[in-house]
Amino acid sequence: MPSGWMGKILDVDLTAGKISTRDTMAYAGDYIGGRAMAGRIAWDEIPAGVDAYDPENRIIIATGPLTGTLAPTSGRTVMTSLSPRVYPRPWYTHSTLGGWFGPELKYAGFDAIVIHGRADSPVYLEIRDGEARLVDATDLWGLDARETQLTLKGRMSPQTQVLTIGPAGENLVRFATVQHAEENAAGHSGFGAVWGSKNLKAITVRGTGGVSVANPEALLREVIGAGTFKKSPAVAVVFEGDQNLRKEESPDDGGVDPAASADSAESNGRRPICSQACTFDCIIGSYERTVDERLIPAFCIGAVWRHESFMQDTEYSGGGVEVPPGRNFGLCEEVSLHELCNKLGLDLWFRLVMQPWFIRCKQLGIGEIRGHPIEPEDLFWFERFMHQLANREGLGEIFAEDLVRAMDELEGELPAELIHLGRELEFDFGFPAHREGRFWDEEPLPFWVISAMMHISTSRDPTIGTHSSCLINAEFFLDDRELARRQFRLLSEKVWGDPDALEPTFENKAPVAIWSQHQHMLIDSLPLCDFAFPQLVRPMESRKAWQNAEDILGDLDLDLRLFAAVTGVELTREEMTRIAERAFTLERALLARAGRGRKMEETLAPHFKLPCRADGTLIDEAGFSGLLDEYYSARGWDLELGWPQADQLRELGLEEIIPELDERRRQSKAYSESPP
Amino acid sequence: MTRNKRIHVDARLCRDCQVCVLACSLHHEGECNLCLARLVVTKDMARYEFDILICQHCDSPDCILACPTDAMLLDDRGVVIIVDEECIRCGACLISCPYDAIFYNEVQDRYLKCDLCAGREEGPLCVALCPVGVLTLVDVEAVRVGV
């Protein structure tokens, strides 16, 4: 067996209480690991037509060959399942989480876990060095995610790594998370509720083995060569000097020893990391203190809660939609609220859509909903509301279904503007608007067009795989448009063979969207972190370095070399891209199985008629339809449904899925010709 | 490069990335294995505190005094090393270490400790790869006089 993989996947049948193993290498050649491998398992094993809460739904937790090694940022884990959050009906999607669980799983001898069935009563799965068993978790049910982890670590060992749900998952909140450590979570896809539906409270893992490396010298050479504590380009350029995101505090005493700080804390900018083997200086992490003076980390959206100006960035006005600014409750209050969110196991993103929506209610004179008062700018009301969400009590019972489903429930009771607003805030099949250039962050043309193509074609919002590879480059545009355009023309010629690929136009953006999606698939499968890979733009240490650069292209083949060093398997870029395309196509087939296709994807069009917050650009329905045509064509999918076609499936080695897709095509055609 | 040196730890800066540990086991054992490294990162989740346990290459090492055979010795760099062939697996060194920096690997029945990456001319890998400067290679003399 090549190095990197452990060779075993753990199969857990919660209904029968049985545990078995299968061979990872049956998948590794065609799918590598992680998200790509999980998609294959999902296609083969999740029956068509089942609901997210059906015992036959699978929870797949997968690592990749780089997980647990020294490869930078490789300590990640992917989780996939049918998502209860997806609107209007569940389909298969994925989340990834950082932390230390995936590496420990490999040290225990397993590449992945596939869970199905439903336990009669709460259980947790305990994994230790090649062995696994189900343990009664009745005493843990009801504990929050932090209490659960501390309890299980106390019972086993501090080195034990834990995935767990909080009360929100137990109570089937549609945006419930699976939590790990302080801040890591499979957060966006509501998989915590799937765990809850299966009576699965937690998974613990402890392993004392290691991950073999085919060429240790090569791996060390690559890691040393990549450098440590490199800033991502956007950090250097856009956030340089942003003191609010650069707190310099020591975790134990609230301040850095001046004697020790000269060449360490102060100059390096002390920030936490979110994943084992991360060597980067990442903008998304920060330490802050809770109201009871404990220092805790926050990453990405967690840091947004704490950042006053970021919360105000929810403000948007255009196209008849008014989104008020969110309300920041003060730094330590926000830190504590944010910690509470993690404890309860709620997706941190709920705040970004629900708080502005409730504030708009108040602005329109709505003071209560079904007898429940709403005070979204009151800290104590908001804290209580979070508990109500997690426990499905009071107002929480309605909104635990997520904002977009709450709009269906409340339609006719509230002003149409509010219902419309709620649907726009979660326009992307139930996922909060993000990376779409309107409500949250700024993506000027052409970046929101690339993003729109990704929204229409992927199983969830395209946020995660595009942080560094594509969309964050919009920040360069916003900062110095002419310089960025000049640099991007050179970069585009080199990467996509087309100097116009990132020109601010609507045309010919599919190659960048597809490239980004394939890169995303690979970093979720090797795995690597999307804030650090792919290095489309090379790390730069300062704004000045960026301004003086003409050629900004990064090292796009670092992933290939890390993969070869760890596994001993040499793949070309073309071979790796083919694996990504195969896996992405299979995910598309899973969407087709759930009935998703062009008709449903055209329903996203109205959101893109709203003016882009950065430059006011927009697109009408006909133009949006043209984006679908361009994207589907570039993918080789049919234009009627937007599904992969037989020749393409054969070429990718997916001929076995052709009969099912053919049958679904026939059913779809019959339906459109004579709808019931 | 490592003569009369030791690795100074400022654990307050630690981020728990485990890069030092992974690099250590990769260099010494050819695999990434937290239990085969010559240093350990510990984390207290309740208080969000870290510590790094690594040999301080003491002036008068208790481990050498405690060892009943010739398995613990000072090499010509002044670095305390374990000679595995001489080790009788009694664990006396581990018990004697004031820094808890000698580790027992149960699977391989071996005792492990930092040797400052013996044979690596550029110096210890953990120092080279720590992204945030938690680990620094310092002169024993400089430390002794508080420089």
Side-chain angles (χ1 to χ4, degrees), chain B residues 19-40:
Chain B
V19 164
C20 54
V21 181
L22 294 164
C24 180
S25 71
L26 189 61
H27 175 66
H28 287 92
E29 306 290 337
E31 65 176 275
C32 291
N33 185 328
L34 306 188
C35 298
L36 282 176
R38 276 67 172 164
L39 75 168
V40 165

Side-chain angles (χ1 to χ4, degrees), chain A residues 35 124 157 236 303 509 518 592 597 610 653 670:
Chain A
R35 179 176 150 201
Y124 70 88
S157 67
K509 296 297 175 278
H518 289 169
L610 301 174

